[in-house]
Amino acid sequence: MPKPQDLAALAFQHAPEATLVLENRVIRRANLAVRAVFGWEPAALEGRSMRVLYPGETDFERLGERALDAMRRAPMVRDARFMRRQDGQIVWMEGQGVTLTPEAPHRLAIWTYRPIEPDARVPGLLTPAEMRVARYLVGGMTSKEIARVLECSPRTVEVHRASMIRKMQVRNSVELIRSLLDSGAAG
C-alpha cells in the first residue's frame, strides 16, 4: 500500500488540469497536464516566473493585481484570461486559484488552468467568431493577417472588431485589446 505522501504526489502529477504551485508568482511545481495545456515540460517551467505564460508584461502585472485583490476578498478565485503557450499561441483559459497564505495571497498559491474551447460562447458577451478574432488581436496580428489565418476577408475581421468594441464599451482597438487582456470578456 503506497504511503499517503506518495498518493498525494501521484495525484498532483496526474491531475487532469494543468496545476501550478506558485510562490510569489514563481512556478515551484508543475504537473504533467502542463504539457498539453501550455506545451511546456513541467521541469522547464519550474523556477520560472509566471510571466512566461502571459501575452505581455502589462497582462502579467494587471492580472496579478486583480488576482491579489480577489484573493484578499476570498481565498479561492476563478476567472478567464488570455495566456501564452510555449509556441507563442495565445489561448483563452479558465484559471482557478487558491491561496494558502491569505495574509499575503501571492506568497503561496495553487492555480489550475484549462483552455476554454474556441467555439465556447463567453456568456452574454462575445460570439465564438469574435473570440477567434480576439485571440489573434491580442497576439498583435493585423486584420489582414487575421483574415489570412481564419480564411475570411479583412472586412469580416473589421466587422467583428467593431462589434467587440461596441459590446465591450471601449473607444478603439487599443482599449479593446487592453480590455480583452484584462479579461473583461470573462463577464
Side-chain angles (χ1 to χ4, degrees):
M1 182 73 166
K3 296 178 184 175
Q5 63 268 27
D6 295 337
L7 288 175
L10 188 65
F12 172 79
Q13 283 301 319
H14 296 280
E17 291 187 354
T19 305
L20 303 174
V21 176
L22 306 177
E23 182 180 18
N24 296 315
R25 302 188 78 198
V26 171
I27 302 164
R28 293 299 173 204
R29 294 288 314 272
N31 75 349
L32 297 173
V34 302
R35 283 185 196 136
V37 173
F38 291 109
W40 288 86
E41 287 299 320
L45 278 177
E46 293 173 357
R48 297 184 76 158
S49 167
M50 278 293 291
R51 164 67 187 87
V52 300
L53 300 178
Y54 284 92
E57 185 66 32
T58 302
D59 321 313
F60 171 70
E61 295 298 328
R62 187 176 289 147
L63 289 168
E65 286 301 316
R66 196 172 77 199
L68 184 64
D69 292 342
M71 286 184 176
R72 285 181 176 142
R73 291 189 301 275
M76 185 179 295
V77 297
R78 175 181 285 174
D79 67 8
R81 79 248 331 246
F82 285 103
M83 297 190 80
R84 182 181 301 277
R85 292 177 42 85
Q86 185 181 26
D87 63 8
Q89 180 184 19
I90 306 297
V91 184
W92 189 244
M93 297 265 186
E94 177 182 47
Q96 185 169 343
V98 61
T99 181
L100 303 179
T101 53
E103 68 285 355
H106 281 323
R107 186 178 306 143
L108 187 59
I110 300 169
W111 280 86
T112 61
Y113 297 96
R114 67 175 188 82
I116 297 174
E117 295 300 319
D119 288 337
R121 187 178 190 90
V122 177
L125 200 56
L126 302 182
T127 67
E130 289 166 346
M131 285 302 301
R132 285 189 291 276
V133 169
R135 178 175 141 205
Y136 294 108
L137 278 175
V138 301
M141 293 176 77
T142 66
S143 292
K144 286 182 182 179
E145 291 169 329
I146 295 169
R148 268 194 298 270
V149 170
L150 296 179
E151 298 179 345
C152 65
S153 75
R155 177 69 183 135
T156 299
V157 173
E158 290 301 321
V159 167
H160 288 308
R161 182 192 313 247
S163 177
M164 288 186 284
I165 286 171
R166 179 183 48 76
K167 287 179 179 180
M168 297 186 77
Q169 301 176 351
V170 295
R171 294 177 293 189
N172 54 44
S173 294
V174 172
E175 288 183 11
L176 172 64
I177 292 167
R178 185 178 306 131
S179 184
L180 288 168
L181 289 171
D182 198 24
S183 299

